[in-house]
Amino acid sequence: PIAFDSMYDVTKNMIQCKEDFQISNRPVEVTLAYHYTHQNCVDNISQEGLVASGRVGFFGEGIYLANNACAFRDRGSVGIIVAILKGKCERVFDGRSGSKNDHDV
């Protein structure tokens, strides 16, 4: 669990970041996503935030999020709701299906 003071700081930083984005003409829409992890990772995430682990997944190294709360539940026993403020969005080809399916990265 995150303490009230921590939530205050996170909210304050998110608002400041959103204002900075707006000044520099970048997107300011905040969306929610979901990340699943293992119980033994929760303390580190609450202290350091979500950080790429160095393991390479299907789309390469990074933090994997889903816009569907039920997707990827098998990746861990703990689900985290993540507020996303996108600074830059690119489309990439999904080679799994053999067709052009775009994904934000």
Side-chain angles (χ1 to χ4, degrees):
I2 296 178
F4 175 77
D5 291 343
S6 296
M7 288 303 297
Y8 172 80
D9 290 338
V10 167
T11 303
K12 180 179 159 191
N13 290 340
M14 177 66 90
I15 291 169
Q16 181 62 54
C17 186
K18 191 172 179 178
E19 289 172 355
D20 292 345
F21 276 31
Q22 192 165 24
I23 289 168
S24 62
N25 262 349
R26 295 190 295 190
V28 295
E29 179 183 340
V30 176
T31 57
L32 296 181
Y34 307 91
H35 175 80
Y36 285 90
T37 190
H38 301 283
Q39 183 64 46
N40 61 330
C41 299
V42 172
D43 287 338
N44 192 49
I45 291 171
S46 68
Q47 296 297 315
E48 304 295 327
L50 286 173
V51 178
S53 66
R55 291 184 306 217
V56 177
F58 186 84
F59 291 107
E61 183 180 350
I63 300 166
Y64 287 66
L65 305 170
N67 60 359
N68 177 336
C70 296
F72 306 106
R73 286 190 308 199
D74 60 334
R75 300 292 183 179
S77 60
V78 177
I80 300 170
I81 299 174
V82 181
I84 301 171
L85 181 58
K86 296 179 186 177
K88 180 179 178 184
C89 188
E90 295 181 25
R91 297 288 183 173
V92 296
F93 176 71
D94 178 356
R96 292 180 295 181
S97 66
S99 64
K100 180 97 171 119
N101 292 320
D102 291 336
H103 297 279
D104 292 340
V105 293

